[in-house]
Amino acid sequence: MVVSKFKIIALVAWLVVSFLGAGSLALAGPHPGLTMSAQEVVAMRSQLHTVPKAKQAFDDLQVKTDTSIELGVIVPKPVDAGGGYTHEQHKRNYQLMLDAGLLYQLSGKKRYANYVRDVLLAYAELYPTLPLHPKQKEQSPGKLFWQSLNEAVWLVHTIQAYDLVVGALTEAERNLIESSLLRPVANFLSEGQPDTFNKIHNHGTWAAAAVGMTGYVLDDQHLVDQALFGLDKSGKAGFIAQIEQLFSPDGYYTEGPYYQRYALMPFVLFARAIEVNEPQRAIFEASDGAILKAIETAVQLSYNGLFFGINDAIKDKGIDTIELVHGIAIAFEVTGDTQLLDIAKQQNHILLTGYGFSVAKALHEGRDTPFDFRSLQLRDGQDGQQGALSIFRHGQGSKHQALVVKNTSQGMGHGHFDKLHWLYFDNGNEIISDYGAARFLNIEAKYGGHYLPENNAWAKQTVAHNTVVVDEQSHFNGDWRVGQQHAPNIRFFAAQDGIQITSAEIAAAYPTTTLRRTMAMLELEGLTHPLILDVFKVNSVRAHQYDLPLHYQGQLISHTLKLQGAKQALSPLGEQHGYQYLWDRARAAFPAGLAQLTWLNDGRFYTYSTVGGTDQQMLFAMLGANDPQFNLRDQHALIHRVNSAHDHVFVSVLETHGEYNGRAEYTVGAQSNVVGLAVRELDKYTEVTINLVNGHQATLLYTEQGDENTQHQLDSAGGQVQWQGHFVVLKSQSKQSEQ
Amino acid sequence: MVVSKFKIIALVAWLVVSFLGAGSLALAGPHPGLTMSAQEVVAMRSQLHTVPKAKQAFDDLQVKTDTSIELGVIVPKPVDAGGGYTHEQHKRNYQLMLDAGLLYQLSGKKRYANYVRDVLLAYAELYPTLPLHPKQKEQSPGKLFWQSLNEAVWLVHTIQAYDLVVGALTEAERNLIESSLLRPVANFLSEGQPDTFNKIHNHGTWAAAAVGMTGYVLDDQHLVDQALFGLDKSGKAGFIAQIEQLFSPDGYYTEGPYYQRYALMPFVLFARAIEVNEPQRAIFEASDGAILKAIETAVQLSYNGLFFGINDAIKDKGIDTIELVHGIAIAFEVTGDTQLLDIAKQQNHILLTGYGFSVAKALHEGRDTPFDFRSLQLRDGQDGQQGALSIFRHGQGSKHQALVVKNTSQGMGHGHFDKLHWLYFDNGNEIISDYGAARFLNIEAKYGGHYLPENNAWAKQTVAHNTVVVDEQSHFNGDWRVGQQHAPNIRFFAAQDGIQITSAEIAAAYPTTTLRRTMAMLELEGLTHPLILDVFKVNSVRAHQYDLPLHYQGQLISHTLKLQGAKQALSPLGEQHGYQYLWDRARAAFPAGLAQLTWLNDGRFYTYSTVGGTDQQMLFAMLGANDPQFNLRDQHALIHRVNSAHDHVFVSVLETHGEYNGRAEYTVGAQSNVVGLAVRELDKYTEVTINLVNGHQATLLYTEQGDENTQHQLDSAGGQVQWQGHFVVLKSQSKQSEQ
């Protein structure tokens, strides 16, 4: 799926702004007409039975909703903080009203509308009596909830429910609900909290969506304009500015995919409402199609259904989260791109909205085509100048290889101190990993379900990532506000046949020290899977200790290092910056030449080949020290340590190979094919040589200097080499095997 | 599936002993007629295209076999031990000959028969020249392979291949192959190694099958009779005696399911050959239907497709292993039991034999019915008097609950020192676990793929299991030959509505110390899943330290113990009997009253509730000490330690509860419902009381004495209780919740 190819197709829905009469649901005005049109309702009522899965979803929703309705109207006085009873009950109410509203439209059964009416009337009675919430959060408190963010989410849902049932209400009911509830909440979220409403931030997006959607339903253009252009309607704030500023030109949200998913919800719902009510705004084309781009990018930021676990991420979130279910369906309605159906199929979640039904119908008709997970560079920052996330892929389907190189900016308060970090996925699994967030979401016993203290103390620290730590201190000394001011410079990026490569550097992570990393996915003859090549250069004016951790997933099988035997007692590796959580399980000296470690994960072998010197050691670390609450997961890491140096070049190759099948009792390809690895710096050029057991040799020559048009020339043992651009790969084969 | 209900149906095949003419494959004799009949071939040739999956398997086998055949005939001189090149090549040859033989019969293509002929002729040339194998194993060496066991497996396959192609051979070829290869190998396996051939042991079964099947194909009744009744044909040895003696009356093989699966293969193949050639023997009815029972029992010994990992077991083996693929298909051919098709469906492996095709056809016709995984007691020992394995199940499908109580005998050399051990499975996962074997099968880098030294030193030791360790020493002081002489006494077993329970004792695991354990799966009102109740009594004439380990799988969430803070250094828990592999991660004192620990596994919570005193502590142990080779997996265990006592009663309840859904962001039921637990000994009775947060109380009264008809009477606080048999459950409810 390429965003620039999106064809914006006309929606019939918005042409019917004064649609009258829908069978027994005849309405006086253009309702429903917010995220779902009356015409869509008519179509769904006649076609629902032709799409078995949608019919099933409808039947299921009726059963579930009937059960909830039987409990009666429950609108308690707000008392509890997030997670508490009244908090959860008000959340249940908005979802229930929305479900009942949909059922009313689809079934014509008056009792659903009556239930929504009764709940709304109860709120209309309660709301005017409410002061600020008793457990209010310091910033932006709400009334129904402890923070106004929840109040905005409540209104986004409730106004959709109101739109669905308003045709069944008397004028007196409508007046009461609108004047005592909907307008007051909308005013509270806009004029009542100007700072939040005008903020270019996720909270501001929710507030804008809530206020603007209310404006459409109440036919109040003033509210709509404030939502779109800020309180003063100048355009400096509001939804349009948010679309422009919150995502990078490549649709990347700076906090990473976990929060990108969350941030998307108000964008897609409000945009859908704008499309239905003011199609002339062509909202999905705004800012170079930013919303559609962000939806596609969220999907690209995943592997085997789960988001890359960078920054503060709960790692079981993926493309089937509710935000992307709405996002994909709304994007499909706009673009008709059948690749989106592939994602919808994996989501396996049918929405009973107009756009949800379009997807269900298209899937029933088998119109889905494979989603193109591809290699790409996602620039970070509003202007695309704050570093980038590079994704390199090889193969197709849930078991393909993916290398993720995180050369992004800090990512604000949810960012981790992991400049030039990387992850690797293969065979459906995370092989070189990111810990993600230290948090058990919604598990009260684990620090109330909040981010654990170990999130700051371990998960965010540099040593928890696959990048260099200088003198056992995190990047930017662990201060995200400092980190926020510096992003890596991307030197080059290329995704070509046979080689995919990127290079970046940052000089600000440590004082007077420059980090430069070049990573490549390299295909070589005789190998089933591409190699992952890593060259990490550290240069400093002073001598330091350099640690390069590798957080691998799997069972260690063998290695060629000189291990110093089993320890009779374990102690932590350090005292701060995350090192206090690692047990110093074993240490090893490097052999002369190649050092190799092989592990097994889910029936496949992975061999990490590197070279080290006598001034270096390999540490075998294990997570879990200083963790009396058992808050951390079991994890193992290798740490390649250079004891003291001004400059150092780490070089390594990761090979994916072989198969272990315990069921059928066979093992093939358990040995790595890599038999040689060397790196040399030749003036401004870097030369990496890899030798395979089959006699093939590959040499990568690259330079961080110049650009893609620069001409280069170098004399080497094999003669003179000339090339254009940052890199070239030379291949040769010896007549005999090198083993 | 109940074995006693098996209806032995007539097979048409065996009636056609002198079948003549099969289209272009017209044969002079009754070939094929070993495990597959000529009539089956005719049927398959006409019907294969009607069963798409079988047709696909046929096409795939042709492609695969053609590729192998292109490499030519490769029959190397035997040189290598197991795993080495010549070993693997001779294994590949027998499989390839069998595949080519099947393809010849099904396709009629002469080149397949020619290939088998050429390989057989190469062997006929090589075999007479061979001395014993250069890498011969001490016991029972082979010629083609290092041990005669492999030679028997080779002949079982090769004789089937010969039967499939013999009709295409000239008389000269037949004479050469039979006289220089098949008879010599059969003679070597029978007269050539009388001890192995006459042994009531797995190796003997393979030898008998190889010799007997060769007898049928060569029309040599002498060989057949030796195979069935031993070298002297007395019936003291041979296949018939093996059927009687190797499995218990409940079809349990004493080494456990992992080896049961392996032992089955020669039984099912030779039995099938007997059924085709001598149906009058009614071999599948022999010994009360022992073979069919053993096949069914192997399936019952699994959870979610994998075998219970008791004793020396590689834990990724399950019901889809090739031995059970043959076993299930052959059993279906005999019984027509459509429950077997459910297992075949999960195996998803189509055999292109007659019985394999029957299964494929029946599955294509949708005739499968759910396999009845049920609660049962599998007695151990030839006479059923060597203890038992109890399996208690609740619910259906891959996520049901299963409690396995291992009150079996030692299980010979592959047995573990785990008297009265248990395992628990839920939600598709192993929750209370057995380490299984310490072995990376076929992974050369891990001790040549053999059992690791840690198999004896850790995996077999008592502390690696969920049963009491006295004074940090394993049962029988770790001597399996001593263990082999003693089995637990089963006191009672019952699987009733609401409660499933068993009780056993053993006095010989330690000198002057008796271990008694009663375990139950108990359903209570208000609980979604049954509780697992455990009462473990230890009585000794002297004071000892008692450790009760619990090997749980999951992430610890919370506990109510008084932990002694985080350790700054870890040391091993002990020096021998497995303790040297456990890190002493943390220790905790018990609170007054209930002690609870909750962990999370795959979105579900598990709470272990127990009670302890001031003379006791809970140890939090972690596997991995003294493991410089990284041979052990990450595992955590709790160890409930009684420092010094003559007698002690451990009591605990394990509750399965709630749900954590990180994707949809909700958590329900994270708190245990158990709020009270107490055990009292009242003369010969034991009383266990469990209180739930909903006010329900359940009291289990039981006695190890008497039998199921004994009348009991007891005065208690609630009045006099009378019951018959070993146990009774009393339930009551307080008017108010107890919390």
Side-chain angles (χ1 to χ4, degrees):
Chain A
M1 189 177 76
V2 177
V3 171
S4 60
K5 286 190 196 160
F6 278 169
K7 202 175 140 204
I8 309 298
I9 61 163
L11 285 174
V12 178
W14 69 58
L15 301 175
V16 198
V17 276
S18 57
F19 184 86
L20 291 171
S24 62
L25 290 173
L27 301 173
H31 299 287
L34 185 55
T35 55
M36 185 168 185
S37 70
Q39 192 172 24
E40 285 175 324
V41 170
V42 175
M44 283 178 72
R45 293 185 68 177
S46 66
Q47 296 173 26
L48 198 61
H49 68 283
T50 66
V51 182
K53 286 197 170 176
K55 178 65 170 58
Q56 186 62 51
F58 172 75
D59 293 344
D60 292 348
L61 189 65
Q62 277 208 97
V63 170
K64 186 181 144 207
T65 305
D66 290 349
T67 308
S68 299
I69 285 179
E70 271 174 31
L71 301 174
V73 172
I74 307 170
V75 178
K77 195 175 155 193
V79 173
D80 301 320
Y85 168 70
T86 67
H87 181 95
E88 293 301 318
Q89 180 58 33
H90 290 302
K91 282 171 69 178
R92 276 190 288 272
N93 280 343
Y94 68 61
Q95 188 62 53
L96 185 54
M97 284 193 282
L98 183 50
D99 291 343
L102 286 169
L103 289 173
Y104 167 61
Q105 287 294 340
L106 298 178
S107 72
K109 291 178 186 164
K110 200 69 190 299
R111 63 190 164 93
Y112 292 117
N114 291 346
Y115 180 76
V116 177
R117 176 196 64 201
D118 294 346
V119 177
L120 288 171
L121 289 172
Y123 272 111
E125 192 174 341
L126 174 71
Y127 197 77
T129 72
L130 294 180
L132 287 182
H133 193 280
K135 295 268 174 65
Q136 59 182 273
K137 280 201 162 180
E138 281 174 37
Q139 293 178 321
S140 339
K143 289 180 167 184
L144 288 168
F145 298 91
W146 65 340
Q147 58 177 346
S148 70
L149 171 64
N150 300 110
E151 208 116 327
V153 176
W154 181 92
L155 185 55
V156 164
H157 287 77
T158 301
I159 195 64
Q160 291 180 77
Y162 182 70
D163 177 54
L164 292 163
V165 303
V166 63
L169 305 184
T170 66
E171 194 180 340
E173 287 162 354
R174 290 202 299 270
N175 285 339
L176 182 60
I177 292 165
E178 294 184 10
S179 64
S180 295
L181 181 64
L182 301 176
R183 279 186 194 281
V185 179
N187 288 335
F188 175 74
L189 292 172
S190 52
E191 308 280 356
Q193 53 164 11
D195 286 355
T196 299
F197 188 79
N198 277 339
K199 207 172 182 177
I200 304 298
H201 180 275
N202 181 249
H203 291 207
T205 319
W206 276 105
V211 170
M213 290 166 80
T214 303
Y216 284 128
V217 176
L218 305 194
D219 202 14
D220 183 335
Q221 194 63 35
H222 171 68
L223 287 180
V224 171
D225 288 346
Q226 283 190 319
L228 292 173
F229 305 111
L231 279 184
D232 65 359
K233 305 185 188 177
S234 69
K236 286 180 193 157
F239 192 65
I240 301 296
Q242 308 227 7
I243 293 174
E244 280 170 9
Q245 296 176 38
L246 267 184
F247 297 97
S248 82
D250 294 324
Y252 181 76
Y253 180 64
T254 191
E255 291 186 306
Y258 179 79
Y259 279 95
Q260 170 144 357
R261 157 203 64 84
Y262 185 68
L264 269 178
M265 191 74 159
F267 278 101
V268 300
L269 291 177
F270 189 24
R272 165 72 181 163
I274 295 168
E275 190 79 338
V276 171
N277 285 275
E278 299 188 81
Q280 70 282 4
R281 290 201 185 276
I283 192 71
F284 287 105
E285 294 180 77
S287 267
D288 197 21
I291 295 176
L292 295 173
K293 223 184 274 181
I295 294 168
E296 191 220 340
T297 296
V299 177
Q300 294 286 2
L301 287 163
S302 71
Y303 179 82
N304 193 17
L306 295 177
F307 293 127
F308 304 146
I310 54 174
N311 292 337
D312 283 349
I314 308 283
K315 291 171 77 176
D316 40 18
K317 289 279 191 188
I319 57 172
D320 60 352
T321 46
I322 190 68
E323 297 88 352
L324 265 186
V325 173
H326 282 275
I328 291 292
I330 287 172
F332 175 69
E333 191 78 320
V334 175
T335 65
D337 185 334
T338 53
Q339 289 190 28
L340 296 167
L341 297 173
D342 183 13
I343 304 303
K345 197 178 188 177
Q346 295 176 51
Q347 291 171 336
N348 194 26
H349 183 145
I350 290 176
L351 297 171
L352 290 169
T353 57
Y355 51 84
F357 184 69
S358 293
V359 165
K361 204 171 148 198
L363 279 176
H364 181 63
E365 291 161 359
R367 293 177 51 206
D368 55 298
T369 55
F371 185 88
D372 182 24
F373 284 97
R374 59 206 160 84
S375 297
L376 38 69
Q377 175 176 242
L378 298 170
R379 288 166 295 161
D380 191 4
Q382 187 190 336
D383 55 2
Q385 297 298 311
Q386 302 294 303
L389 190 87
S390 292
I391 306 171
F392 298 120
R393 304 194 190 255
H394 178 262
Q396 295 291 322
S398 65
K399 294 177 180 290
H400 74 272
Q401 286 84 43
L403 166 65
V404 177
V405 186
K406 186 173 183 277
N407 296 327
T408 63
S409 69
Q410 180 68 28
M412 306 199 284
H414 288 300
H416 288 193
F417 301 102
D418 59 358
K419 298 301 96 179
L420 318 188
H421 169 48
W422 65 294
L423 296 83
Y424 177 61
F425 302 84
D426 174 59
N427 198 26
N429 302 307
E430 190 183 33
I431 302 303
I432 302 299
S433 74
D434 188 306
Y435 191 85
R439 181 183 190 183
F440 293 88
L441 187 64
N442 291 322
I443 297 185
E444 185 63 28
K446 285 294 192 196
Y447 207 65
H450 301 293
Y451 284 105
L452 293 160
E454 289 81 4
N455 192 57
N456 280 328
W458 159 254
K460 283 188 177 174
Q461 300 299 320
T462 305
V463 73
H465 301 85
N466 307 303
T467 186
V468 162
V469 190
V470 176
D471 293 336
E472 300 183 29
Q473 293 191 324
S474 285
H475 297 169
F476 310 112
N477 204 28
D479 184 337
W480 75 264
R481 289 175 202 280
V482 175
Q484 195 63 31
Q485 298 162 29
H486 307 278
N489 293 314
I490 307 299
R491 284 306 178 187
F492 57 91
F493 168 92
Q496 305 175 349
D497 269 1
I499 183 164
Q500 306 187 70
I501 186 166
T502 191
S503 185
E505 66 170 28
I506 187 162
Y510 294 103
T512 66
T513 304
T514 303
L515 310 178
R516 286 187 187 83
R517 189 171 216 166
T518 302
M519 294 205 69
M521 191 181 242
L522 184 65
E523 291 171 63
L524 293 181
E525 205 179 322
L527 299 185
T528 315
H529 311 290
L531 297 176
I532 307 301
L533 173 64
D534 176 23
V535 182
F536 200 130
K537 303 179 190 174
V538 195
N539 298 93
S540 182
V541 297
R542 275 185 283 277
H544 299 281
Q545 173 185 291
Y546 299 127
D547 281 354
L548 179 55
L550 185 78
H551 296 268
Y552 68 96
Q553 297 282 341
Q555 171 82 37
L556 203 56
I557 293 295
S558 63
H559 63 81
T560 63
L561 293 153
K562 292 180 267 179
L563 206 64
Q564 291 156 17
K567 293 201 177 197
Q568 279 308 304
L570 291 194
S571 50
L573 254 183
E575 291 179 6
Q576 55 174 358
H577 287 260
Y579 281 79
Q580 69 272 35
Y581 295 105
L582 290 168
W583 292 116
D584 181 5
R585 182 168 173 175
R587 297 191 180 207
F590 280 87
L594 203 61
Q596 293 190 304
L597 300 105
T598 300
W599 65 92
L600 180 66
N601 184 324
D602 193 14
R604 198 168 276 188
F605 296 94
Y606 301 89
T607 294
Y608 185 71
S609 298
T610 185
V611 286
T614 53
D615 60 329
Q616 299 164 42
Q617 49 186 327
M618 187 69 90
L619 280 56
F620 295 73
M622 182 170 62
L623 195 58
N626 285 293
D627 181 24
Q629 304 295 322
F630 297 84
N631 282 342
L632 298 172
R633 300 192 303 267
D634 289 338
Q635 297 269 281
H636 295 266
L638 302 167
I639 300 179
H640 184 160
R641 172 166 289 181
V642 177
N643 295 326
S644 179
H646 286 70
D647 303 319
H648 186 75
V649 181
F650 293 95
V651 63
S652 73
V653 158
L654 177 66
E655 183 189 358
T656 300
H657 58 99
E659 183 186 355
Y660 165 74
N661 190 320
R663 184 180 56 77
E665 293 195 7
Y666 65 83
T667 297
V668 292
Q671 296 286 323
S672 173
N673 291 285
V674 175
V675 295
L677 175 65
V679 63
R680 283 199 303 167
E681 291 192 89
L682 307 163
D683 187 21
K684 65 181 176 179
Y685 301 102
T686 305
E687 179 199 74
V688 184
T689 310
I690 302 167
N691 293 93
L692 301 187
V693 69
N694 64 9
H696 282 85
Q697 174 174 297
T699 302
L700 169 69
L701 282 167
Y702 73 88
T703 176
E704 294 95 345
Q705 298 177 26
D707 61 29
E708 63 210 26
N709 299 313
T710 312
Q711 298 293 328
H712 299 280
Q713 179 176 314
L714 191 67
D715 292 317
S716 81
Q720 194 179 67
V721 188
Q722 291 182 314
W723 75 96
Q724 176 182 315
H726 287 283
F727 63 93
V728 65
V729 179
L730 311 171
K731 296 182 182 177
S732 62
Q733 187 177 11
S734 65
K735 282 181 189 146
Q736 293 200 319
S737 158
E738 304 231 345
Q739 204 181 35
Chain B
M1 187 176 79
V2 177
V3 171
S4 60
K5 286 188 191 162
F6 278 169
K7 204 175 139 202
I8 310 297
I9 60 164
L11 285 172
V12 179
W14 69 57
L15 301 174
V16 197
V17 276
S18 58
F19 183 86
L20 289 174
S24 63
L25 291 172
L27 301 172
H31 298 287
L34 185 55
T35 55
M36 185 166 183
S37 71
Q39 191 170 28
E40 286 174 321
V41 170
V42 175
M44 282 179 71
R45 292 186 69 177
S46 67
Q47 295 172 28
L48 198 61
H49 68 283
T50 68
V51 181
K53 285 195 172 179
K55 178 64 169 58
Q56 185 63 51
F58 171 74
D59 293 343
D60 292 348
L61 189 66
Q62 278 209 96
V63 171
K64 185 180 146 210
T65 306
D66 290 347
T67 308
S68 298
I69 285 179
E70 271 174 31
L71 300 174
V73 172
I74 309 170
V75 178
K77 195 177 159 192
V79 172
D80 301 319
Y85 168 72
T86 67
H87 181 95
E88 294 301 319
Q89 181 58 32
H90 290 301
K91 283 171 71 180
R92 276 190 289 272
N93 279 344
Y94 67 62
Q95 188 61 53
L96 184 55
M97 282 193 282
L98 183 49
D99 291 342
L102 286 170
L103 289 173
Y104 168 62
Q105 286 295 338
L106 297 179
S107 71
K109 292 177 185 163
K110 199 73 191 295
R111 63 190 162 95
Y112 292 118
N114 290 346
Y115 182 77
V116 178
R117 176 198 63 203
D118 294 345
V119 177
L120 288 170
L121 289 172
Y123 273 111
E125 191 173 342
L126 174 72
Y127 197 78
T129 71
L130 294 180
L132 287 182
H133 193 280
K135 297 268 173 65
Q136 61 182 274
K137 279 199 161 183
E138 281 176 34
Q139 293 179 319
S140 340
K143 290 181 168 181
L144 288 169
F145 297 91
W146 65 339
Q147 59 178 344
S148 71
L149 171 63
N150 300 110
E151 207 116 326
V153 176
W154 181 91
L155 185 55
V156 164
H157 287 78
T158 301
I159 195 65
Q160 292 180 76
Y162 182 70
D163 177 54
L164 291 164
V165 304
V166 62
L169 305 184
T170 66
E171 194 179 337
E173 287 162 351
R174 289 202 301 271
N175 285 340
L176 182 59
I177 292 166
E178 293 184 11
S179 65
S180 295
L181 179 65
L182 301 175
R183 280 186 193 281
V185 179
N187 289 335
F188 175 73
L189 292 172
S190 52
E191 308 279 358
Q193 52 164 14
D195 286 355
T196 300
F197 189 79
N198 276 340
K199 207 172 186 179
I200 303 300
H201 179 277
N202 181 250
H203 291 207
T205 319
W206 276 105
V211 171
M213 290 166 78
T214 304
Y216 283 129
V217 175
L218 305 193
D219 203 14
D220 182 336
Q221 195 62 36
H222 172 68
L223 286 180
V224 172
D225 288 345
Q226 284 190 320
L228 291 173
F229 305 112
L231 278 183
D232 65 0
K233 305 185 189 176
S234 69
K236 285 179 193 157
F239 193 64
I240 302 296
Q242 309 226 10
I243 293 174
E244 280 168 11
Q245 296 175 40
L246 267 186
F247 297 97
S248 84
D250 295 323
Y252 181 78
Y253 180 65
T254 192
E255 292 186 304
Y258 178 80
Y259 279 95
Q260 172 143 357
R261 158 202 65 82
Y262 185 67
L264 269 177
M265 192 73 160
F267 278 102
V268 300
L269 291 177
F270 190 24
R272 166 71 182 163
I274 296 168
E275 189 79 339
V276 171
N277 286 276
E278 300 188 80
Q280 70 282 5
R281 289 199 185 278
I283 192 72
F284 287 105
E285 294 179 80
S287 267
D288 198 20
I291 294 175
L292 295 173
K293 224 185 275 180
I295 294 168
E296 191 219 342
T297 295
V299 177
Q300 293 286 0
L301 287 164
S302 71
Y303 178 83
N304 192 18
L306 296 177
F307 294 127
F308 304 146
I310 55 176
N311 292 337
D312 282 349
I314 308 282
K315 291 171 76 178
D316 40 18
K317 287 278 191 189
I319 57 173
D320 60 352
T321 44
I322 190 68
E323 298 88 351
L324 265 185
V325 172
H326 282 275
I328 291 292
I330 287 172
F332 175 70
E333 191 79 321
V334 175
T335 65
D337 185 334
T338 53
Q339 289 190 30
L340 296 168
L341 297 174
D342 183 12
I343 303 304
K345 197 178 188 176
Q346 295 175 53
Q347 291 171 337
N348 193 29
H349 184 145
I350 290 177
L351 297 171
L352 290 170
T353 58
Y355 50 84
F357 184 69
S358 295
V359 165
K361 202 170 152 203
L363 279 176
H364 181 63
E365 291 161 0
R367 292 177 53 207
D368 54 301
T369 56
F371 185 89
D372 184 23
F373 285 96
R374 57 206 161 83
S375 297
L376 37 71
Q377 178 176 240
L378 298 171
R379 288 166 295 162
D380 191 5
Q382 187 189 338
D383 55 2
Q385 297 298 310
Q386 301 295 303
L389 189 87
S390 292
I391 306 170
F392 299 121
R393 302 195 192 254
H394 178 261
Q396 295 292 323
S398 65
K399 292 176 181 293
H400 75 273
Q401 286 84 44
L403 166 65
V404 177
V405 187
K406 185 171 183 279
N407 297 328
T408 62
S409 70
Q410 181 68 27
M412 307 199 284
H414 287 300
H416 288 193
F417 302 102
D418 60 357
K419 298 300 102 178
L420 318 188
H421 169 49
W422 68 294
L423 295 84
Y424 177 61
F425 301 84
D426 173 59
N427 197 28
N429 302 307
E430 190 182 34
I431 304 301
I432 303 297
S433 72
D434 187 306
Y435 191 86
R439 180 182 191 184
F440 293 86
L441 186 64
N442 291 322
I443 297 185
E444 184 65 27
K446 285 293 192 196
Y447 207 65
H450 301 294
Y451 285 104
L452 293 161
E454 290 80 5
N455 192 55
N456 280 328
W458 158 254
K460 282 189 176 173
Q461 300 299 319
T462 305
V463 73
H465 302 84
N466 307 301
T467 187
V468 163
V469 190
V470 177
D471 293 336
E472 301 183 26
Q473 293 191 326
S474 286
H475 297 169
F476 309 113
N477 204 27
D479 184 336
W480 76 265
R481 289 174 199 281
V482 175
Q484 195 63 29
Q485 298 161 29
H486 307 278
N489 293 316
I490 307 300
R491 283 307 178 184
F492 56 92
F493 169 91
Q496 307 174 350
D497 269 359
I499 183 165
Q500 306 189 70
I501 186 167
T502 191
S503 186
E505 66 171 30
I506 187 160
Y510 294 103
T512 68
T513 304
T514 304
L515 310 178
R516 287 187 186 83
R517 190 172 216 167
T518 302
M519 293 207 68
M521 190 181 243
L522 185 63
E523 290 172 64
L524 293 182
E525 206 179 318
L527 300 185
T528 315
H529 310 292
L531 296 176
I532 306 302
L533 175 64
D534 177 24
V535 183
F536 201 128
K537 303 179 189 174
V538 195
N539 298 94
S540 181
V541 297
R542 274 185 283 277
H544 299 282
Q545 172 186 293
Y546 298 129
D547 282 352
L548 179 55
L550 185 78
H551 296 268
Y552 68 96
Q553 297 283 344
Q555 171 83 35
L556 203 55
I557 293 294
S558 62
H559 62 79
T560 65
L561 294 152
K562 293 180 269 180
L563 205 66
Q564 290 155 18
K567 294 201 176 197
Q568 279 306 307
L570 292 192
S571 50
L573 254 180
E575 290 178 4
Q576 54 174 357
H577 287 261
Y579 282 79
Q580 69 273 32
Y581 295 106
L582 291 169
W583 292 115
D584 182 4
R585 181 169 171 175
R587 297 190 180 209
F590 279 88
L594 202 62
Q596 293 189 305
L597 301 104
T598 300
W599 67 89
L600 180 66
N601 184 324
D602 194 12
R604 198 168 275 188
F605 296 94
Y606 300 88
T607 295
Y608 185 70
S609 299
T610 185
V611 286
T614 53
D615 61 327
Q616 296 164 44
Q617 51 186 326
M618 187 70 89
L619 280 55
F620 295 75
M622 182 170 63
L623 194 59
N626 285 295
D627 181 25
Q629 302 295 321
F630 297 84
N631 282 342
L632 298 172
R633 299 191 302 267
D634 289 338
Q635 296 268 281
H636 295 265
L638 301 167
I639 299 178
H640 184 158
R641 172 167 291 180
V642 178
N643 296 325
S644 179
H646 285 71
D647 302 319
H648 186 75
V649 181
F650 292 94
V651 63
S652 72
V653 159
L654 177 66
E655 183 189 359
T656 301
H657 57 100
E659 183 187 356
Y660 164 74
N661 188 319
R663 185 180 55 77
E665 295 197 7
Y666 66 83
T667 297
V668 293
Q671 296 285 323
S672 173
N673 291 285
V674 175
V675 296
L677 176 66
V679 63
R680 284 199 302 168
E681 291 194 86
L682 306 163
D683 188 21
K684 64 179 176 181
Y685 301 101
T686 304
E687 178 199 74
V688 185
T689 310
I690 302 166
N691 293 93
L692 300 187
V693 69
N694 65 9
H696 281 86
Q697 175 174 294
T699 302
L700 170 68
L701 282 167
Y702 74 86
T703 176
E704 294 95 344
Q705 298 177 27
D707 62 29
E708 63 209 27
N709 299 313
T710 312
Q711 298 293 327
H712 299 281
Q713 178 176 314
L714 190 66
D715 292 316
S716 80
Q720 196 180 66
V721 187
Q722 292 184 315
W723 76 94
Q724 177 182 314
H726 287 282
F727 65 92
V728 65
V729 179
L730 311 171
K731 294 181 184 179
S732 63
Q733 187 177 12
S734 66
K735 281 179 188 145
Q736 294 198 315
S737 159
E738 306 231 345
Q739 202 176 37

